[in-house]
Amino acid sequence: MEYFKYLFQILCIAILFPTAMSLIYSINSPVASSQTKPYIPVETRTYTVNQQRNNDQSTFDFDDDIKRSWSKGIDRLKVSTTDYLQFNYFETNKITQKMGDEEATSFNDTLLESFISVRKKGDLVPVVLMNRELSKSILVFQENEGKGGFVGIFMSVDSSTGKKKWQLDSIENL
């Protein structure tokens, strides 16, 4: 009888231990947490990472060609950009920090899906314009390593359901 008792305990440990370990691992896994990495497009222009100066300054130093491209793209927009804040694509977390979790997820998903749908190999890093009310956003980038045309992705918040959900309004060649 004692033999069966020990055999039962060993079987319980053999079954429960892996289950408990996988549960503990999933709780501590970075995938299960809210720490997600921003999407970094493949084959974009080179940039160098500087030491972070402070939270208000960019941690990315883009070359002059990309900065000139952003200026040209913004100039081609058919909207007044005086009420828009400018962010490079890798710093959209500064925008989403000012939003609730659901709205931030909606913004990131809409931005990423829209960008992926039109992006091609060799397109430059986009600039993101966000109005001060956090209700409209424009993503602008130049195609073909700075030799092609400009693309504008226009997004806005749809609050008709009571929740702030981002939607794609249009994708335009500028």
Side-chain angles (χ1 to χ4, degrees):
M1 187 68 177
E2 187 109 9
Y3 174 76
F4 290 112
K5 180 179 172 184
Y6 289 121
L7 182 61
F8 179 75
Q9 288 175 346
I10 291 172
L11 285 174
C12 287
I13 290 172
I15 292 170
L16 294 177
F17 182 76
T19 305
M21 291 308 293
S22 65
L23 179 63
I24 290 170
Y25 176 76
S26 68
I27 292 171
N28 291 329
S29 170
V31 174
S33 73
S34 62
Q35 300 171 351
T36 57
K37 294 182 179 180
Y39 169 73
I40 300 175
V42 179
E43 302 281 338
T44 58
R45 286 286 246 189
T46 325
Y47 62 91
T48 56
V49 179
N50 293 336
Q51 290 181 346
Q52 188 170 359
R53 296 173 211 124
N54 66 37
N55 287 340
D56 296 333
Q57 292 181 323
S58 175
T59 55
F60 297 95
D61 184 22
F62 291 93
D63 65 24
D64 290 335
D65 291 339
I66 292 177
K67 291 177 183 176
R68 272 193 296 275
S69 171
W70 288 349
S71 293
K72 288 179 188 176
I74 291 170
D75 288 344
R76 291 182 180 208
L77 290 173
K78 297 173 185 161
V79 295
S80 172
T81 57
T82 55
D83 294 329
Y84 284 83
L85 302 172
Q86 180 177 323
F87 299 88
N88 75 57
Y89 182 78
F90 299 115
E91 295 181 332
T92 55
N93 63 326
K94 290 183 180 180
I95 299 170
T96 57
Q97 288 173 352
K98 299 173 184 177
M99 299 176 179
D101 289 341
E102 286 184 35
E103 182 184 3
T105 300
S106 174
F107 174 78
N108 284 331
D109 290 348
T110 305
L111 185 73
L112 180 61
E113 289 170 11
S114 304
F115 183 50
I116 287 175
S117 72
V118 294
R119 185 189 176 281
K120 297 178 196 94
K121 181 178 178 179
D123 291 349
L124 297 184
V125 174
V127 62
V128 180
L129 304 174
M130 174 64 77
N131 72 344
R132 296 182 192 283
E133 295 82 28
L134 302 179
S135 61
K136 293 183 182 180
S137 182
I138 307 169
L139 181 122
V140 178
F141 66 94
Q142 190 172 13
E143 300 174 305
N144 194 19
E145 297 181 5
K147 300 173 192 147
F150 290 87
V151 176
I153 298 174
F154 297 81
M155 301 176 0
S156 65
V157 171
D158 176 18
S159 333
S160 62
T161 61
K163 294 182 179 180
K164 291 186 173 184
K165 183 171 173 64
W166 283 85
Q167 64 186 13
L168 173 64
D169 294 331
S170 66
I171 297 176
E172 301 175 17
N173 291 322
L174 305 176

